[in-house]
Amino acid sequence: APASAPAAGPTSTTAAGSARATPKGPRTVYIDVRELQASPLLLAGLRAQGLRVITTSLKGADCEVSTRVGLLRLSIKDAPAYLREPAKAAQIHRLAQLYARPVLVLEADRPRGPFATKQTFVESHRSLLAALLRMKISVLFAHTQQDTVEEIAGLARAEADKGYAIDPAWPETAPEHYLKFLLSVPMVSHLTARLLLHGGKFKCMRDIINCPASELSRIGYIGRERAEAIHAYFRRCFDSDLQK
């Protein structure tokens, strides 16, 4: 059964005026396991910033910074291919679908490369940036990997101040069969799966399957459209015995 929710810490007030509990403990981020080989200095840098870094297999992002932010890192020179090539375009769309606040970090390959500054990249790739804007993806620019570390650390702290921190009291591992099941559901990110498992609301998987879309939309900040898609998936895939 999912663990009960930990005791709440201090609260932060959102722009809408509602208060959310701020979990006690170090700021926590999830990093995809592929980063262990691709960017080992990234993990070391984040830990040096005082963050608790947990590596796991993510679905649709390189890093989960808060309960609503998923972040993807791209080399600036590779970014235009994400409009032209279907498989890469799907990765960007998945980021936008799975997170309430999707963020794309564009990293310069070298400090003096042809697109080493934000201005030169913007001038050369207006169509790409317009497409990202339509998908409501925030774009950050990083000259070095250390810049990326500082952007992620800054986002984690800012999100925590707004009440969206990942709870450090969550266990680093979840029941594997539950997690695999939830990750098989379209529109469910790794972070949403953990919120469903550890949020304390559900006693068993049957409760999750039977949860109305209106309630799902308030769990993990997934929003109405994604909640309705998840709810519809459960209705299609499970027989009436589980829908009671």
Side-chain angles (χ1 to χ4, degrees):
S4 300
T11 59
S12 296
T13 304
T14 66
S18 59
R20 293 188 178 92
T22 302
K24 296 179 180 179
R27 301 292 174 247
T28 300
V29 296
Y30 289 106
I31 299 290
D32 190 82
V33 291
R34 291 168 296 181
E35 298 295 315
L36 285 171
Q37 291 184 332
S39 306
L41 294 179
L42 178 71
L43 277 69
L46 291 172
R47 289 180 173 127
Q49 292 277 337
L51 298 178
R52 177 182 180 232
V53 179
I54 301 174
T55 56
T56 188
S57 294
L58 297 184
K59 176 183 174 182
D62 294 325
C63 177
E64 291 177 336
V65 179
S66 72
T67 53
R68 62 177 186 164
V69 173
L71 182 145
L72 187 65
R73 299 168 55 228
L74 289 182
S75 164
I76 278 184
K77 71 177 178 62
D78 293 335
Y82 282 76
L83 276 186
R84 298 191 304 266
E85 300 177 19
K88 292 184 176 181
Q91 189 176 0
I92 296 292
H93 283 281
R94 187 161 57 249
L95 176 74
Q97 290 172 342
L98 291 177
Y99 297 95
R101 189 183 173 196
V103 175
L104 182 66
V105 175
L106 295 176
E107 298 178 338
D109 299 289
R110 54 190 188 278
R112 299 184 184 278
F115 302 119
T117 68
K118 177 179 178 179
Q119 181 178 353
T120 56
F121 185 85
V122 168
E123 291 173 352
S124 302
H125 298 88
R126 293 186 184 278
S127 60
L128 170 63
L129 293 172
L132 294 172
L133 182 62
R134 287 193 295 272
M135 288 186 279
K136 300 181 179 179
I137 296 177
S138 300
V139 180
L140 303 175
F141 290 84
H143 292 290
T144 65
Q145 197 166 97
Q146 182 58 34
D147 288 345
T148 300
V149 166
E150 292 173 5
E151 292 284 8
I152 293 173
L155 270 174
R157 296 184 186 108
E159 287 289 287
D161 289 343
K162 295 174 184 176
Y164 296 104
I166 293 172
D167 195 332
W170 288 353
E172 292 197 16
T173 58
E176 187 174 357
H177 56 296
Y178 287 163
L179 193 58
K180 282 185 175 180
F181 163 72
L182 289 171
L183 289 175
S184 72
V185 178
M187 309 294 278
V188 171
S189 67
H190 165 266
L191 193 56
T192 299
R194 283 191 173 274
L195 282 160
L196 291 170
L197 289 172
H198 303 310
K201 177 181 176 59
F202 303 111
K203 296 180 179 178
C204 62
M205 295 305 297
R206 184 193 296 265
D207 290 347
I208 297 176
I209 292 169
N210 288 323
C211 184
S214 58
E215 291 185 29
L216 282 173
S217 68
R218 295 191 291 270
I219 300 167
Y221 318 103
I222 64 177
R224 181 179 59 82
E225 183 178 349
R226 192 149 60 101
E228 289 176 351
I230 295 168
H231 181 74
Y233 177 87
F234 288 148
R235 301 279 74 72
R236 289 194 307 270
C237 295
F238 295 97
D239 59 34
S240 58
D241 287 342
L242 280 175
Q243 297 177 24
K244 293 179 180 178

